[in-house]
Amino acid sequence: MNTNEIVQPNLFPFPFPVHLIFSCLALFFFIILYLRDRKTYQLIFAFAMPLSLVIWITNNRTFFYFVGLIELVLIIIALVSNIMQKVKSKNSQNENVQAESLNDNDNSEISISDTEDNSITTDENNPKTEE
């Protein structure tokens, strides 16, 4: 193959206008998801996507890899925050279930003792008469 026939690949596979459109769509999508769900990883992705636009500043490969490293770190942070949020959510759900079961047990004990107290009071107020 002739070296003239080989096309030099760009640093990014999309032209700038397409990259800009995808980044803006991703920004709006993740902001809407964050406003709806309030999950940290959505906010991280909302800013990580447009951050990839900085590769258009220069053609320096070192800068390109540095931006890639930052993006990788942000993805890892988003993954870790998502896992932590799931664990926290699961723990709070377990605590809520335990609290509800304790409340149910307390309510049933109160209602049993209330009925016992009523029967005792009823017996005291209506003494049996022997005929």
Side-chain angles (χ1 to χ4, degrees):
M1 215 175 196
N2 190 352
T3 57
N4 293 336
E5 294 175 4
I6 298 175
V7 178
Q8 286 291 336
N10 292 333
L11 288 178
F12 200 74
F14 297 122
F16 179 73
V18 175
H19 188 187
L20 181 64
I21 290 170
F22 283 147
S23 295
C24 289
L25 288 175
L27 173 71
F28 292 127
F29 175 73
F30 281 113
I31 285 178
I32 289 170
L33 283 179
Y34 176 75
L35 292 174
R36 186 184 70 183
D37 299 335
R38 297 286 180 190
K39 295 189 177 182
T40 310
Y41 78 92
Q42 295 164 339
L43 190 61
I44 293 169
F45 277 136
F47 293 104
M49 297 297 176
L51 181 66
S52 67
L53 288 170
V54 299
I55 64 168
W56 293 98
I57 293 173
T58 183
N59 286 334
N60 186 351
R61 284 212 182 264
T62 306
F63 184 71
F64 176 74
Y65 291 124
F66 180 70
V67 170
L69 182 65
I70 291 173
E71 292 285 338
L72 179 64
V73 167
L74 287 173
I75 290 171
I76 291 171
I77 291 171
L79 178 67
V80 168
S81 70
N82 188 27
I83 291 170
M84 289 174 50
Q85 208 161 22
K86 281 186 179 182
V87 168
K88 185 178 177 182
S89 173
K90 190 180 240 186
N91 288 342
S92 67
Q93 284 178 350
N94 288 341
E95 289 174 2
N96 289 342
V97 168
Q98 289 175 353
E100 286 176 10
S101 66
L102 287 175
N103 286 339
D104 289 343
N105 289 340
D106 291 343
N107 290 340
S108 63
E109 290 175 6
I110 291 171
S111 61
I112 291 171
S113 39
D114 285 345
T115 55
E116 289 173 357
D117 289 342
N118 288 341
S119 63
I120 293 171
T121 333
T122 310
D123 289 341
E124 291 173 0
N125 291 338
N126 298 327
K128 292 183 182 178
T129 57
E130 294 180 18
E131 294 179 25

